[in-house]
């Protein structure tokens, strides 16, 4: 059974290695991640959040509830138009064991390519919430957390909430 890694765990700051073979183990982990994401009312979960240093993630489009299982996802283009929205993370929890949130500015839309669980290479233009989710989750694959986009003062205020949890 997979365990959620929380802010402060060094695995969340590691750069993940590409997947070369889609093994039954990888598929099982992805399936378990979808269950964890849903159980915790999340919309995305990246491999390092469950201790796996490989380039894969799961995410859900909240509007359609379509689940994407992305292996080796890569953002190809980012729009110059940006949007600021509140973000949280299942690995950055406050003392109530719920995610803490902060406003983050990101590109409004992205083009992303990935391999799905069947080995098919896909490419999609995403905007709005799906674009934000895929950017947040691919950041995890490079050891980047949403708190890294905050000003030092705002990040410290948010981290106080996280430290109170411990």
């Amino acid at each position: 059974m997979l365990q959620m890694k929380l802010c402060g765990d060094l695995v969340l700051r590691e750069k993940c290695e590409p997947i070369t073979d889609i093994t039954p183990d990888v598929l099982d982990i992805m399936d378990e991640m979808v269950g964890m994401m849903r159980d915790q009312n999340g919309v995305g979960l990246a491999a390092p959040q469950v201790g796996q240093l490989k380039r894969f993630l799961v995410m859900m489009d909240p509007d359609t509830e379509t689940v994407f299982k992305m292996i080796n996802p890569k953002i190809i283009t980012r729009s110059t138009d940006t949007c600021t929205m509140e973000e949280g993370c299942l690995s950055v929890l406050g003392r109530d064991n719920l995610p803490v949130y902060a406003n983050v500015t990101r590109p409004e839309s992205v083009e992303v390519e990935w391999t799905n669980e069947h080995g098919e290479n896909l490419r999609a233009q995403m905007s709005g919430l799906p674009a934000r989710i895929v950017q947040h989750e691919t950041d995890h694959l490079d050891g980047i957390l949403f708190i890294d986009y905050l000003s030092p003062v705002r990040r410290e205020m948010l981290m106080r909430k996280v430290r109170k949890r411990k």
Side-chain angles (χ1 to χ4, degrees):
M1 186 164 155
L2 299 174
Q3 289 224 311
M4 186 68 69
K5 302 300 179 186
L6 300 178
C7 191
D9 192 314
L10 296 179
V11 73
L12 295 174
R13 294 304 192 167
E14 296 286 328
K15 189 170 176 101
C16 296
E17 295 293 322
I19 296 275
T20 53
D21 286 326
I22 303 172
T23 64
D25 189 43
V26 168
L27 296 175
D28 288 346
I29 292 169
M30 291 177 89
D31 286 342
E32 191 172 342
M33 288 169 61
V34 170
M36 290 174 75
M37 175 182 71
R38 286 192 164 135
D39 288 347
Q40 297 184 35
N41 295 313
V43 291
L45 198 57
Q49 291 180 274
V50 294
Q52 304 294 310
L53 287 174
K54 295 291 183 181
R55 294 191 78 78
F56 63 90
L57 62 88
V58 298
M59 63 171 273
M60 180 179 67
D61 179 336
D63 295 328
T64 64
E65 296 193 12
T66 302
V67 171
F68 296 89
K69 296 177 180 176
M70 297 182 167
I71 298 166
N72 298 326
K74 184 175 181 185
I75 294 176
I76 303 304
T77 61
R78 299 171 194 267
S79 68
T80 54
D81 294 336
T82 60
C83 176
T84 301
M85 292 176 67
E86 198 171 62
E87 283 189 32
C89 181
L90 296 175
S91 291
V92 184
L93 305 180
R95 69 173 169 210
D96 54 3
N97 280 335
L98 295 174
V100 293
Y101 294 90
N103 284 329
V104 176
T105 301
R106 293 187 185 267
E108 174 79 35
S109 63
V110 295
E111 184 175 5
V112 61
E113 65 181 22
W114 72 96
T115 302
N116 71 9
E117 68 271 29
H118 307 293
E120 301 164 326
N121 294 323
L122 302 175
R123 183 181 278 222
Q125 185 74 30
M126 295 184 175
S127 60
L129 207 45
R132 178 161 298 270
I133 297 165
V134 77
Q135 290 175 83
H136 178 111
E137 300 307 332
T138 56
D139 275 351
H140 274 298
L141 303 179
D142 292 319
I144 299 167
L145 299 177
F146 83 100
I147 59 175
D148 298 336
Y149 292 98
L150 305 178
S151 71
V153 169
R154 183 70 185 112
R155 184 171 44 249
E156 180 55 34
M157 289 171 54
L158 186 132
M159 289 308 295
R160 283 185 189 146
K161 294 178 185 175
V162 173
R163 285 192 286 270
K164 283 184 180 177
R165 179 181 183 278
K166 298 175 182 182

